[in-house]
């Protein structure tokens, strides 16, 4: 079923079409949200809110852009205007983040059986936390342009700016992240002292990692081991793969999907 037909069917109250629509977009929305917000629970809540906004505003989709582009526009608008998170209030600058990386409150050696997965957890969490040091416009530009590899003319349409302005935001965000990685990250630049495995104990002690409830590593549907490019900005972020969630968003939205009221508001 083509996008316009699917949307038309949803607007006519076809519940199966609405489920098909939600199923097709929930993964992309969640992966955008978790990269933007860092915290899994926040990303799951945001994903549900965004899906509701998509459903309730479906009649406004005019078909002039691809459906995914329109969904990304709804999602980015929600995320950029969302209430500031605790992590955003803590990571006020790259200098503040660097200070945290240079602080060890526990021994560096960690040799437990879960060392490898915790190393991935910390690496993923750390590189995504760096994005919180960017202002929201730069952060969304970096995620769309560098992580999701969306072309600048399409990304500009998503964030409602010009392609030239989007490219400027993307360049600035890449420069800021690249400078920080080059100066501090041992994965990106081997001359730097910071290594994820050396920070596992500290992260556990500080509550940054919960061994029994990981934020990233145990929910990655496709961890790109082959893309471990230690000298590549793109490789660092593409190495994360695709994030999955155990939350049944279709079930949570079932009450809304059962009534045509949600698409007529």
């Amino acid at each position: 079923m083509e996008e316009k037909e699917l949307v038309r069917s949803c607007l006519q109250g076809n519940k199966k079409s609405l489920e098909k629509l939600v199923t097709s977009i929930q993964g992309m929305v969640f992966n955008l949200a978790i990269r933007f917000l860092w915290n899994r629970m926040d990303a799951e809540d945001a994903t549900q809110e965004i899906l509701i906004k998509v459903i309730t505003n479906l009649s406004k989709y005019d078909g002039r852009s691809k459906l995914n582009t329109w969904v990304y526009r709804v999602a980015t608008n929600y995320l950029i205007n969302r209430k500031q998170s605790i992590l955003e209030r803590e990571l006020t600058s790259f200098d503040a983040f660097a200070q945290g990386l240079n602080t060890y409150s526990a021994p560096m050696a960690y040799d437990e059986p879960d060392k490898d997965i915790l190393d991935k957890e910390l690496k993923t969490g750390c590189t995504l936390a760096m994005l919180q040091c960017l202002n929201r416009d730069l952060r969304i530009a970096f995620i769309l342009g560098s992580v999701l590899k969306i072309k600048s003319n399409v990304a500009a349409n998503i964030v409602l700016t010009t392609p030239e302005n989007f490219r400027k935001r993307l360049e600035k965000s890449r420069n800021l992240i690249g400078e920080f990685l080059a100066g501090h990250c041992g994965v990106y630049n081997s001359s730097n002292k910071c290594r994820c495995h050396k920070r596992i104990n500290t992260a556990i002690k500080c509550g940054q990692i919960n061994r029994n409830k990981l934020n990233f590593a145990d929910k990655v549907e496709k961890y790109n081991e082959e893309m471990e490019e230690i000298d590549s900005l793109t490789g660092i972020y593409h190495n994360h793969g695709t994030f999955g969630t155990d939350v049944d968003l279709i079930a949570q939205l079932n009450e809304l999907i059962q009534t045509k009221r949600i698409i007529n508001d």
Side-chain angles (χ1 to χ4, degrees):
M1 185 181 296
E2 293 185 359
E3 289 181 348
K4 290 183 180 179
E5 292 180 8
L6 179 61
V7 171
R8 188 181 302 113
S9 180
C10 291
L11 291 171
Q12 291 171 348
N14 188 307
K15 298 168 186 175
K16 288 186 178 180
S17 293
L18 199 52
E19 282 199 21
K20 182 178 180 180
L21 173 66
V22 172
T23 300
S24 70
I25 64 174
Q26 63 179 1
M28 58 179 266
V29 171
F30 177 72
N31 273 266
L32 176 68
I34 196 168
R35 287 177 166 94
F36 190 87
L37 299 171
W38 186 87
N39 182 276
R40 174 171 293 276
M41 289 183 64
D42 287 347
E44 289 169 348
D45 289 343
T47 298
Q48 184 174 1
E49 291 295 321
I50 291 166
L51 292 176
I52 291 172
K53 286 186 176 294
V54 167
I55 294 170
T56 55
N57 290 280
L58 200 54
S59 61
K60 297 179 182 178
Y61 173 65
D62 57 18
R64 288 187 293 179
S65 61
K66 290 185 177 180
L67 181 60
N68 281 3
T69 301
W70 181 77
V71 171
Y72 272 136
R73 187 184 304 147
V74 174
T76 55
N77 183 63
Y78 172 87
L79 292 170
I80 287 175
N81 291 288
R82 195 174 187 271
K83 183 180 178 180
Q84 192 178 42
S85 69
I86 295 174
L87 188 59
E88 281 181 306
R89 292 195 293 270
E90 291 177 350
L91 296 181
T92 54
S93 68
F94 284 101
D95 287 341
F97 190 42
Q99 184 176 0
L101 290 180
N102 292 326
T103 302
Y104 291 84
S105 57
M108 293 185 184
Y110 185 88
D111 272 328
E112 299 298 321
D114 57 357
K115 177 181 178 179
D116 288 344
I117 194 169
L118 293 187
D119 182 67
K120 290 179 181 179
E121 173 78 2
L122 194 57
K123 175 185 172 183
T124 305
C126 183
T127 50
L128 290 185
M130 290 176 202
L131 301 185
Q132 302 295 305
C133 300
L134 297 170
N135 70 45
R136 291 185 170 189
D137 285 338
L138 294 183
R139 192 188 318 163
I140 202 67
F142 184 86
I143 295 170
L144 294 176
S146 285
V147 181
L148 301 179
K149 307 298 288 183
I150 296 175
K151 294 181 178 179
S152 60
N153 62 320
V154 177
N157 186 20
I158 290 171
V159 297
L160 300 178
T161 190
T162 64
E164 181 183 10
N165 192 36
F166 178 81
R167 286 191 290 270
K168 288 180 179 178
R169 293 178 188 178
L170 178 59
E171 181 181 10
K172 185 174 182 180
S173 67
R174 287 178 61 88
N175 287 340
L176 289 170
I177 291 290
E179 288 173 5
F180 183 83
L181 287 169
H184 299 278
C185 179
V187 175
Y188 187 81
N189 181 353
S190 60
S191 65
N192 292 324
K193 295 181 180 180
C194 187
R195 295 292 187 280
C196 295
H197 68 271
K198 294 180 179 179
R199 293 196 55 80
I200 292 176
N201 279 322
T202 295
I204 292 173
K205 184 176 180 179
C206 295
Q208 295 172 344
I209 288 181
N210 182 342
R211 295 174 65 185
N212 299 315
K213 191 176 182 180
L214 300 183
N215 204 32
F216 306 105
D218 64 338
K219 297 294 188 303
V220 174
E221 295 174 347
K222 179 184 173 186
Y223 198 90
N224 296 335
E225 297 284 1
E226 71 278 7
M227 297 187 71
E228 183 72 31
E229 303 173 46
I230 63 173
D231 60 348
S232 165
L233 179 63
T234 300
I236 287 286
Y237 282 91
H238 278 196
N239 183 258
H240 298 159
T242 303
F243 297 104
T245 176
D246 290 334
V247 176
D248 189 344
L249 294 169
I250 291 291
Q252 289 189 355
L253 292 169
N254 189 56
E255 184 179 346
L256 294 172
I257 293 175
Q258 293 303 313
T259 172
K260 289 194 291 184
R261 180 183 61 80
I262 60 173
I263 56 177
N264 292 327
D265 286 349

